[in-house]
Amino acid sequence: MLTVRQTASRNVFNLDGVWDFKVDKEDSGTQERWFAAPLKSAGTMAVPASYNDVVTDTEVRDHVGVVWYQRQAHVPRNLGQDRLVLRFGSATHAATVWVDENEVMTHEGGYLPFEADITDYVTPGQSFRITVAVDNRLNWQTIPPGYIFKDTKGRDVQRYMHDFYNYAGIHRSVLLYTRPAGYVEDVTVVTDIDGSDGVVSYRVEAPGTERVHVRLLDAEGAQVGTAEGTEGKITVANAHLWAPGDGYLYTLQIHADEDIYPQTVGIRTVEVKDSQFLINGKPFYFRGYGRHEDNIVRGKSHDNVMMVHDFELMKWQGANSFRTSHYPYAEEVMDYADREGFVVIDETAAVGLNIGLSGGIFGTPDGMPTKTFSPESLDARTQQVHEKHIRDLIARDKNHPCVVLWSIANEPESNTEESYEYFKPLAQAAREADPTRPVGYVNVMLAPPQVEKCVGLFDVVMLNRYYGWYVDTGLLEDAQAHLQAEIEGWIKLAPGKPIIFTEYGPDTLSGLRDLHRQPWSEEFQEDMFEMFHRVFDSFDEVVGEQMWNFADFQTVSGILRVGGNKKGMFTRDRKPKSAAYQVRKRWQAKRDETGC
Ligand code: BDP
């Protein structure tokens, strides 16, 4: 699905602001047709935002079920033959949308965009009512999965197996935009390098149009090539490549009859070969973090101020990459990563598919099934939903040069025949949807090489490891020996596949200093990083270090979490812990060495 751009043929109206808001305590809103009139006794809510931390009422914060949003909007007077489209960047986790009394769309999955052509339901120059019911419930057939049990008072309690708070609401911008009746619906761009030339191949889908032609413009707007038709190839002499640290972008200006759509293009290649990860044919070493979309009060809402600040901090530290742990991030983030030359591992929201591994990593067994893949838990329907998520993510992000690798799941069960059967068609689906990028999944510590079954389906090895923290706690010499032995195990099991560490690091309470350098102290975080980095440096097959996490973040409360997860390099309000300076030294030196 194309990102919304304002062009000579498309007007964009932003509907962010303060909307009417109402919690559906009895889950009766749809039956009572709340969409058919202004919401009764409604409160207000900012859009975009997670509503959870905006409110002061704990019942609303922890509400399990549906909340309603509503506002009026206007149709432009001069719509003419154009179509009017209503679009949501995301609503977590499922949404139904009405225009006046008409249901215009439903969507499942909390982190991807959805839209509907609403022209036939509205009148030019008139106002109309938008009503949205957002459902935050997770079950065995949602991605991510979860389950609900009743407490002793009969109230629903949501449980899930992932380690971040189940923020909900309208998390990204709501847009109304116009486009011509015949229009650019989609474009797929693939780039290649031939000596000093760049090759840009494109395929456009433009229903209802007769003539498609494209112009390729450089970053200054000068035309460097043109082509005719829905498919074609443009060769750019002496191309300025997109490269880590150099986010050079061309623009493919697509003209389909009346419609104009500008698609940004970064010319670059990605390849996995001989245990190396190659970008533009050169070995690339990932430095960075797993991150979260997580902020004080805003929760998971997209915010340009925080986005730019976070990139500033990442650059300050010498990072060149991050993973969108554990779900697709806002389109603005992907655009910005393109521009800033950041390298991204793009992940689906398939996190917590692991109840069979020690009862789920963070779930509590209130009537929870004991097997990950079974008719009572994750089943064939879950697999279908998961496949759709993979395809939708790739459809949204396929043209971003920053994306170099798809991560189709985080820490799933991968040590059983059932897991192999579950992932085989999913890996295949990812390759079908995008034959140009490597595909991987992130392996959990409980599925080491001795028992792993799925790695053969993938191109890279991505590891989350907590030696020195969850195991060998505080014993860094033992931790080092176990880490080394495990890496050797992976090299034997998956020869030729590069290894990227996608998580490592201890919880660290900012300000807790300790002469004895014990776990939870800032000193221990430094020591644990230092040990991991020493080990990474001794293996050519290790091509990346993305520590956990960029910043402290909110989780569900539990005995392992004190006011959230504290593994950040920065605190939740983005203040550096002392390890941030130590890692900065290492990463800046690596940046100076490699030039990116
Ligand atoms: C891993 C998960 C991540 C957690 C992290 C932790 O991938 O989401 O937050 O460990 O325990 O299991 O901090």
Side-chain angles (χ1 to χ4, degrees):
M1 177 184 285
L2 292 181
T3 295
V4 177
R5 308 271 184 225
Q6 201 209 357
T7 69
S9 62
R10 295 174 175 224
N11 291 312
V12 183
F13 309 92
N14 188 307
L15 300 184
D16 295 351
V18 179
W19 290 44
D20 290 345
F21 178 77
K22 188 171 174 173
V23 178
D24 194 347
K25 291 195 173 136
E26 309 298 328
D27 203 4
S28 57
T30 306
Q31 213 187 350
E32 290 169 10
R33 296 173 54 83
W34 289 8
F35 51 84
L39 288 173
K40 284 194 197 109
S41 349
T44 53
M45 184 50 59
V47 171
S50 298
Y51 56 79
N52 312 79
D53 291 349
V54 175
V55 299
T56 52
D57 183 343
T58 311
E59 258 188 52
V60 178
R61 179 183 196 261
D62 294 338
H63 172 67
V64 178
V66 177
V67 296
W68 292 72
Y69 291 80
Q70 199 174 63
R71 69 163 281 166
Q72 290 287 126
H74 286 271
V75 185
R77 226 184 350 209
N78 49 356
L79 195 58
Q81 296 306 304
D82 282 358
R83 309 298 295 181
L84 188 66
V85 181
L86 177 60
R87 187 191 207 264
F88 293 78
S90 73
T92 312
H93 294 281
T96 305
V97 182
W98 292 264
V99 162
D100 294 327
E101 295 194 26
N102 308 295
E103 183 182 313
V104 294
M105 59 184 140
T106 59
H107 182 258
E108 284 177 15
Y111 306 99
L112 286 170
F114 52 101
E115 64 179 32
D117 181 333
I118 62 166
T119 323
D120 296 341
Y121 302 104
V122 296
T123 314
Q126 305 275 306
S127 77
F128 63 101
R129 189 177 54 244
I130 303 172
T131 309
V132 191
V134 179
D135 192 339
N136 69 356
R137 283 172 290 197
L138 298 172
N139 60 48
W140 296 119
Q141 278 71 50
T142 56
I143 294 290
Y147 65 101
I148 291 170
F149 77 99
K150 300 258 181 222
D151 71 5
T152 48
K153 288 206 164 148
R155 287 174 301 213
D156 284 347
V157 181
Q158 176 78 62
R159 294 283 193 219
Y160 39 93
M161 291 68 66
H162 54 267
D163 184 35
F164 53 92
Y165 185 76
N166 189 33
Y167 280 117
I170 299 177
H171 281 153
R172 298 175 190 159
S173 286
V174 184
L175 305 174
L176 199 57
Y177 71 96
T178 65
R179 67 182 176 209
Y183 71 108
V184 179
E185 186 183 41
D186 196 17
V187 55
T188 306
V189 177
V190 174
T191 64
D192 206 350
I193 301 169
D194 181 7
S196 61
D197 295 348
V199 183
V200 176
S201 308
Y202 71 90
R203 199 180 62 241
V204 171
E205 277 160 50
T209 66
E210 283 178 359
R211 177 174 175 228
V212 171
H213 74 279
V214 302
R215 300 169 60 216
L216 189 68
L217 312 175
D218 69 13
E220 278 76 49
Q223 182 171 305
V224 293
T226 59
E228 281 290 325
T230 53
E231 271 183 60
K233 211 176 243 188
I234 296 175
T235 301
V236 184
N238 290 319
H240 188 148
L241 301 183
W242 186 97
D246 182 9
Y248 190 90
L249 295 173
Y250 292 86
T251 301
L252 190 72
Q253 190 91 257
I254 305 163
H255 299 252
D257 293 357
E258 298 293 290
D259 196 18
I260 301 175
Y261 186 84
Q263 176 59 56
T264 45
V265 175
I267 301 177
R268 60 112 186 84
T269 59
V270 173
E271 193 188 349
V272 161
K273 204 172 152 191
D274 302 335
S275 303
Q276 297 300 304
F277 198 98
L278 307 177
I279 300 182
N280 301 338
K282 293 190 207 129
F284 177 69
Y285 190 89
F286 296 76
R287 299 187 309 270
Y289 334 75
R291 298 173 62 203
H292 266 299
E293 292 190 314
D294 175 90
N295 264 299
I296 291 160
V297 186
R298 293 164 167 74
K300 290 210 166 307
S301 148
H302 173 72
D303 179 317
N304 283 325
V305 177
M306 290 312 298
M307 174 184 77
V308 174
H309 185 51
D310 285 353
F311 273 77
E312 288 301 305
L313 290 174
M314 294 194 287
K315 286 189 279 181
W316 169 85
Q317 206 169 27
N320 60 12
S321 68
F322 60 88
R323 174 170 61 120
T324 69
S325 42
H326 296 307
Y327 37 82
Y329 287 6
E331 289 154 280
E332 290 88 337
V333 176
M334 306 310 285
D335 280 344
Y336 200 57
D338 282 347
R339 236 173 110 164
E340 294 291 302
F342 264 77
V343 171
V344 176
I345 301 176
D346 205 358
E347 189 158 275
T348 69
V351 51
L353 282 62
N354 53 21
I355 49 171
L357 292 169
S358 92
I361 315 264
F362 287 97
T364 9
D366 317 281
M368 187 165 77
T370 51
K371 290 189 93 187
T372 303
F373 302 104
S374 76
E376 291 74 47
S377 49
L378 307 180
D379 61 10
R381 283 170 303 162
T382 321
Q383 195 185 32
Q384 273 168 21
V385 174
H386 193 162
E387 178 176 337
K388 182 168 184 328
H389 277 61
I390 293 170
R391 290 184 187 276
D392 289 353
L393 171 65
I394 294 176
R396 191 195 73 163
D397 287 351
K398 62 187 171 184
N399 293 325
H400 284 286
C402 67
V403 176
V404 299
L405 169 61
W406 304 110
S407 165
I408 67 168
N410 178 69
E411 295 196 342
E413 175 175 307
S414 61
N415 58 339
T416 54
E417 286 307 327
E418 290 90 335
S419 56
Y420 179 83
E421 293 306 323
Y422 181 89
F423 279 107
K424 200 174 161 199
L426 297 187
Q428 184 55 30
R431 291 185 198 289
E432 255 171 49
D434 180 6
T436 72
R437 290 180 181 83
V439 178
Y441 87 98
V442 172
N443 170 282
V444 65
M445 189 142 189
L446 296 163
Q450 303 87 296
V451 295
E452 164 70 11
K453 291 266 190 323
C454 295
V455 70
L457 298 170
F458 299 98
D459 302 303
V460 296
V461 177
M462 290 190 273
L463 302 176
N464 294 350
R465 288 302 178 269
Y466 288 96
Y467 291 110
W469 185 249
Y470 291 123
V471 295
D472 303 324
T473 315
L475 302 175
L476 290 182
E477 285 175 16
D478 289 19
Q480 176 169 342
H482 292 140
L483 176 62
Q484 274 163 342
E486 196 184 330
I487 296 176
E488 281 157 16
W490 284 106
I491 294 171
K492 263 202 202 120
L493 181 70
K497 294 190 182 171
I499 300 173
I500 304 165
F501 276 81
T502 36
E503 288 184 26
Y504 60 100
D507 278 276
T508 305
L509 198 59
S510 171
L512 182 72
R513 309 309 301 244
D514 186 352
L515 188 76
H516 304 291
R517 310 183 77 85
Q518 296 183 87
W520 284 99
S521 69
E522 295 205 28
E523 285 82 356
F524 184 74
Q525 191 180 33
E526 291 192 29
D527 292 352
M528 192 164 146
F529 283 152
E530 202 272 322
M531 182 278 280
F532 267 79
H533 293 156
R534 199 160 2 99
V535 174
F536 296 164
D537 289 344
S538 65
F539 288 97
D540 290 343
E541 294 82 354
V542 174
V543 303
E545 52 193 60
Q546 293 190 331
M547 47 84 51
W548 191 250
N549 183 286
F550 170 68
D552 293 347
F553 59 91
Q554 192 55 269
T555 63
V556 74
S557 54
I559 52 168
L560 288 175
R561 298 286 174 260
V562 191
N565 189 307
K566 296 282 189 274
K567 294 192 185 69
M569 185 81 85
F570 297 87
T571 58
R572 200 172 184 221
D573 59 352
R574 282 27 179 193
K575 301 284 181 282
K577 298 180 189 172
S578 63
Y581 295 94
Q582 169 216 22
V583 172
R584 180 175 191 237
K585 247 197 198 153
R586 170 181 169 83
W587 285 358
Q588 290 203 339
K590 280 194 175 282
R591 181 163 68 188
D592 293 346
E593 223 177 85
T594 58
C596 66

